[in-house]
Amino acid sequence: MSRLLAACCALLLALPAHADGFISRLLDKPVPGGVAVIDLGDGPAAPRVRYQDKPVLTVREDGRRWIAIVGIPLSVKPGEQRIETDGRSLAFRVEPRHYREQRITLKNQRQVSPDPADLKRIERELAEQTDAYRRFDPRQPSNLLFDKPVAGPLSSPFGLRRFFNGEERNPHSGLDFAVPAGTPVKAPAAGRVTLVGDYFFNGRTVFVDHGQGLVSMFCHLSKVEVKVGDELPRGAVLGRVGATGRATGPHLHWNVSLNDARIDPTIFIGAFSK
């Protein structure tokens, strides 16, 4: 009996110190399109971490150990992945997750197969948005449990394989809320507005940088009420729901990006379901 007790105590001591931490319980969903939380130890300074050669968000959990919060792209296959930190390579495992299909019919065929002029515009707009996603502001995010940006039911979930007029396109990279046009859209956490635009696919769009590669994007807005450089507190109104760009009706599309990987926003609002 004493040997069994000793073995159990040794096992408990071997568990990561952050195993029961709030951030880990909330965010550790290591699937394609999810988040991995990785123990980095209890050093005096924040370790520098990279994944797929991009900087990674690090925080001290419960005032004790440092953890890396890693966004996992949808394109990553289940299995072992690695981060690099201060000359070390640490492994984590990505588990499988199934994503459903969605078939959408659009009346505007150009939004399915853009013409050459549209393609030039789309390429230019994509470069602007990619740059906004890849910026790395060193400040810590104000909070990692986000508010919903609108009060309303979720409609199209993250990760859907999408078919427009029968043609497969990129998976759904965010979360849709079915709410009426004009509904106020609020910042789910404090951040700086880094990009405002009116885009071919996204319509009127706002990017908010929450810090350390954690970025929100809100699109299909009918109205934008902020400008680049604005510092938004949590809950600040940044625009109004609409149906601009490639949309079949009024709704809010919300992206969350972490280390330039689009990830499931339900993780950050405590609504993730595998």
Side-chain angles (χ1 to χ4, degrees), residues 34 42-43 47 53 55 66 68 70 82 91 93 99 138 140 149 183 192 195 200 226 232 236 238 251 255 257-258 272:
D42 56 0
D53 203 30
W66 293 101
V70 184
R82 288 187 170 271
R93 187 160 190 84
Y99 292 101
Q140 289 273 339
T183 300
R192 179 184 296 120
L195 184 64
F200 183 85
V226 293
L232 305 183
L238 58 91
H251 70 284
N255 268 20
S257 184
L258 185 57
F272 177 84

Side-chain angles (χ1 to χ4, degrees), residues 136-148:
F136 192 82
D137 186 331
R139 63 179 168 174
Q140 289 273 339
S142 64
N143 52 284
L144 292 169
L145 176 59
F146 283 3
D147 298 329
K148 290 182 181 180

Side-chain angles (χ1 to χ4, degrees), residues 40 52 57 59 98 124 128 143-144 198 215 253 267:
L40 300 175
Q52 296 186 342
L57 168 62
V59 299
H98 173 71
R124 181 178 68 254
E128 287 182 6
N143 52 284
L144 292 169
D198 190 352
V215 177
H253 174 95
I267 294 170

Side-chain angles (χ1 to χ4, degrees), residues 84-146:
E84 305 300 322
T85 173
D86 296 336
R88 296 183 297 157
S89 178
L90 301 178
F92 65 95
R93 187 160 190 84
V94 176
E95 303 297 332
R97 187 188 188 192
H98 173 71
Y99 292 101
R100 297 185 289 109
E101 293 184 2
Q102 180 185 46
R103 296 181 180 272
I104 300 171
T105 300
L106 295 172
K107 294 180 180 178
N108 185 348
Q109 185 61 31
R110 281 177 57 197
Q111 292 183 333
V112 180
S113 301
D115 63 29
D118 294 332
L119 290 173
K120 288 184 179 180
R121 174 186 172 187
I122 291 165
E123 184 178 1
R124 181 178 68 254
E125 294 174 351
L126 178 60
E128 287 182 6
Q129 294 172 73
T130 298
D131 180 65
Y133 280 129
R134 290 181 178 173
R135 294 177 188 175
F136 192 82
D137 186 331
R139 63 179 168 174
Q140 289 273 339
S142 64
N143 52 284
L144 292 169
L145 176 59
F146 283 3

Side-chain angles (χ1 to χ4, degrees), residues 156-170:
S156 297
F158 173 86
L160 284 172
R161 289 182 58 206
R162 297 185 304 173
F163 296 79
F164 290 97
N165 296 2
E167 299 182 27
E168 187 167 12
R169 292 296 184 262
N170 290 332

